[in-house]
Amino acid sequence: MTKKQPGLLAMTVPTRKIGQGILASALLVTALLPATAMAQGLRPSGSLGASGLGSSGLGSSLNARPASTGPRQADFIVVVVNSEPITNNEVLAKLVRTEQQLAQQGGALPPRDVLARQVLERMINEKSQVQLAREAGIKVDDAAVDQAELAIASQNQITVTELRRRLTQDGMSVSQFREDLRDQILLTKVRERELEAKARVTEVDIDQFILEKQGGADQANAEIDLGMVLVAVPENAEPSQVATLQARAESIAKRARAGEDFTALVKEFSDAPDRARNNGQLGLRAADRYPALFVEATRGLPKGGVSEPVRSGAGFHVLKVLERRQGSLPAMTVTQSRSRHILLRPSAQLSESAATERLADFRRRIVAGQADFATLARENSQDGSAREGGDLGWVSPGQFVPEFEEAMNKLAPGQISQPVVSRFGVHLIQLTERRESQLSPREQREIVRGLVREKKMEEAYLTWAQDVRARAYVEFREPPQ
């Protein structure tokens, strides 16, 4: 694969990192459990009990709304995290934004008190991690926040001005949005600093991964997709209450085995917070990325089989095997693209709209035969590829940021895109060639390296996040009488 020019290095950074929510979901500032724990319905370390949120004022204020929809009620502190407070109004505002996002995704919302507990627990986790980052001297300057704000606007195909207008219309101040962005970038930095050493991949790790994938039909090498109904069990539940909930789970399992639609059972009975988004489907993944108790409960079950209820810290899980297949090495061939671009970076002298207009004019001149793409790139592009006429060489999928790659993939050879805004500036892209390429052994090993690193990073993050949460001083406050 052609090596990237130095000026393009910023474009080829990995786009999947722990804490990447600053780009993917910061517009709504989602406040749910970490993805893995949420998908599995598992309770993270130090989660709230009956004496937590349920006895705070938040529980009695769940029907309240942000100030933009009515008179503001008197605020009060819900919880203190290492001497820093989280207020009732802060939780309510984040809860409402979370409900809006889940509603847009379709399906029924979980009970509001259950979702509120998830939101508050996430806020506690994030606040304790932000405090750790500040204690370590990690800082985020305004330029990084500006770049993140521009990226979010670009991903939503709007300008920063329009983004701010919509935020204000939805009752969120621009200053608060930018502070949330700053915290999310801070979280990304501290997580990467804390986890990078733990996610290093050795050649032995790669060899072991390949050996396992080629090891035949062993359960550990399988990939499975499970559906789940979670019957939640409150902390400190009485034995009689646990028995009642277990009986409910057994009844659900019996109905599923009798042929009832599993998705309907999920919608009717599951207490998992993300049921509205995925209908109880946990996703196809390697068996070793599921909790061991899930793997044991479904071992030997065929596709369509339903387990007996299995107990975890969150409650009783009824599991259905939606798909089962053996793992394999990455595909031997990939579709590669060769393109060239002209990059203009917005600045005090060149606004984003002006850069867009200039590139649109370049496109008109090239299409009309009045100018040459490579010549314009050499004369105008603010990227290291300019001296090569904007040529980026042959690349495999996933090497460019999503905005650039999505626009490039829509082009046929010879076609030129409209101006495309990414976090790095405004691009004019021309696809020159496309081919099917056989991956070399070295390239295959690099793909495996990425898979192993991602797995290690996920495991390290969950352990680290639980440790930070466990070490935090968390004091729940009673509501004012």
Side-chain angles (χ1 to χ4, degrees):
M1 184 177 63
T2 304
K3 186 177 181 181
K4 293 292 154 292
Q5 300 295 338
L8 192 67
L9 290 179
M11 288 185 57
T12 59
V13 296
T15 57
R16 295 188 63 189
K17 293 183 178 180
I18 295 292
Q20 191 187 6
I22 62 171
L23 301 179
S25 60
L27 185 58
L28 290 168
V29 197
T30 306
L32 293 174
L33 284 173
T36 302
M38 182 176 67
Q40 297 166 359
L42 302 181
R43 199 182 301 277
S45 173
S47 58
L48 303 177
S51 62
L53 181 59
S55 61
S56 76
L58 185 62
S60 61
S61 305
L62 290 177
N63 293 321
R65 287 293 185 269
S68 60
T69 60
R72 178 182 291 275
Q73 65 176 31
D75 201 5
F76 56 88
I77 295 174
V78 174
V79 62
V80 176
V81 183
N82 293 328
S83 79
E84 290 189 27
I86 296 176
T87 69
N88 186 58
N89 283 347
E90 288 174 333
V91 182
L92 286 172
K94 192 150 288 192
L95 174 62
V96 169
R97 289 196 294 273
T98 302
E99 289 177 321
Q100 290 171 344
Q101 185 182 41
L102 292 176
Q104 289 172 358
Q105 293 168 344
L109 290 171
R112 201 159 198 246
D113 59 340
V114 173
L115 184 59
R117 291 172 186 269
Q118 306 284 359
V119 167
L120 180 57
E121 180 64 23
R122 178 59 177 264
M123 293 176 73
I124 292 171
N125 289 337
E126 291 191 349
K127 185 170 284 290
S128 60
Q129 292 173 23
V130 166
Q131 291 166 346
L132 181 66
R134 289 171 178 159
E135 290 171 3
I138 301 174
K139 298 180 180 179
V140 177
D141 57 26
D142 289 340
V145 179
D146 292 341
Q147 188 179 59
E149 188 177 30
L150 175 62
I152 294 166
S154 300
Q155 289 179 355
N156 286 274
Q157 298 181 334
I158 56 177
T159 64
V160 171
T161 301
E162 176 63 13
L163 170 64
R164 293 179 173 182
R165 187 191 69 78
R166 294 187 187 183
L167 288 169
T168 303
Q169 185 178 21
D170 289 341
M172 186 177 192
S173 70
V174 173
S175 60
Q176 182 59 55
F177 175 69
R178 286 178 60 84
E179 281 307 303
D180 285 343
L181 275 184
R182 191 183 304 275
D183 283 349
Q184 291 299 320
I185 300 170
L186 200 62
L187 286 171
T188 300
K189 288 188 173 184
V190 70
R191 289 166 181 171
E192 290 179 345
R193 193 194 76 160
E194 294 289 330
L195 303 177
E196 190 65 35
K198 300 175 183 177
R200 289 175 182 163
V201 180
T202 67
E203 295 303 309
V204 173
D205 293 329
I206 297 174
D207 291 338
Q208 183 64 31
F209 180 92
I210 294 174
L211 187 63
E212 290 175 356
K213 290 298 182 181
Q214 293 175 334
D218 186 86
Q219 172 75 15
N221 297 320
E223 293 181 323
I224 52 177
D225 188 4
L226 300 179
M228 180 188 73
V229 175
L230 170 65
V231 178
V233 176
E235 291 185 6
N236 304 318
E238 296 293 332
S240 60
Q241 185 180 8
V242 174
T244 299
L245 294 172
Q246 182 175 4
R248 180 187 300 173
E250 290 171 349
S251 174
I252 294 169
K254 183 177 180 180
R255 291 171 61 176
R257 283 193 289 270
E260 287 197 37
D261 181 71
F262 197 78
T263 299
L265 293 174
V266 169
K267 291 179 178 178
E268 183 176 357
F269 295 108
S270 185
D271 296 322
D274 60 341
R275 61 175 184 176
R277 183 171 73 253
N278 57 21
N279 292 324
Q281 187 170 343
L282 303 184
L284 184 67
R285 67 184 80 164
D288 60 4
R289 292 185 62 193
Y290 275 105
L293 59 92
F294 284 18
V295 176
E296 284 299 320
T298 57
R299 187 184 298 275
L301 288 178
K303 181 178 179 179
V306 178
S307 72
E308 291 294 332
V310 57
R311 178 74 188 271
S312 78
F316 293 98
H317 306 260
V318 177
L319 304 168
K320 180 175 181 178
V321 179
L322 303 178
E323 186 175 358
R324 186 190 298 278
R325 67 188 187 194
Q326 295 305 314
S328 60
L329 285 175
M332 296 294 291
T333 59
V334 295
T335 300
Q336 293 185 323
S337 301
R338 186 167 188 171
S339 62
R340 54 187 179 181
H341 79 146
I342 302 171
L343 172 66
L344 299 181
R345 302 180 188 272
S347 64
Q349 294 74 36
L350 183 68
S351 68
E352 180 183 307
S353 59
T356 301
E357 290 178 5
R358 184 179 298 179
L359 289 176
D361 180 62
F362 287 174
R363 184 180 187 278
R364 285 192 294 270
R365 290 165 58 191
I366 295 168
V367 172
Q370 299 170 353
D372 174 67
F373 193 108
T375 301
L376 289 175
R378 291 189 187 97
E379 295 173 351
N380 297 277
S381 184
Q382 297 171 297
D383 182 70
S385 63
R387 60 180 176 269
E388 304 295 336
D391 182 32
L392 301 177
W394 287 105
V395 297
S396 298
Q399 290 191 253
F400 292 146
V401 291
E403 308 92 337
F404 188 99
E405 187 156 312
E406 181 179 357
M408 180 184 69
N409 289 343
K410 292 178 180 178
L411 300 174
Q415 285 186 331
I416 302 174
S417 71
Q418 296 294 333
V420 176
V421 179
S422 83
R423 69 199 69 171
F424 305 111
V426 189
H427 312 258
L428 190 66
I429 308 167
Q430 183 178 43
L431 179 68
T432 55
E433 299 177 78
R434 189 169 279 137
R435 71 182 183 188
E436 294 296 315
S437 178
Q438 190 83 11
L439 289 177
S440 69
R442 182 186 63 80
E443 289 170 331
Q444 288 188 66
R445 289 183 69 85
E446 286 306 306
I447 291 178
V448 171
R449 186 186 303 277
L451 295 174
V452 175
R453 185 182 185 279
E454 183 178 349
K455 178 185 174 184
K456 283 191 170 188
M457 185 71 84
E458 181 177 337
E459 292 171 347
Y461 169 72
L462 291 176
T463 300
W464 174 78
Q466 290 174 350
D467 180 62
V468 173
R469 174 64 173 85
R471 288 188 283 114
Y473 171 76
V474 180
E475 176 190 346
F476 294 96
R477 296 284 183 88
E478 292 294 329
Q481 300 300 319

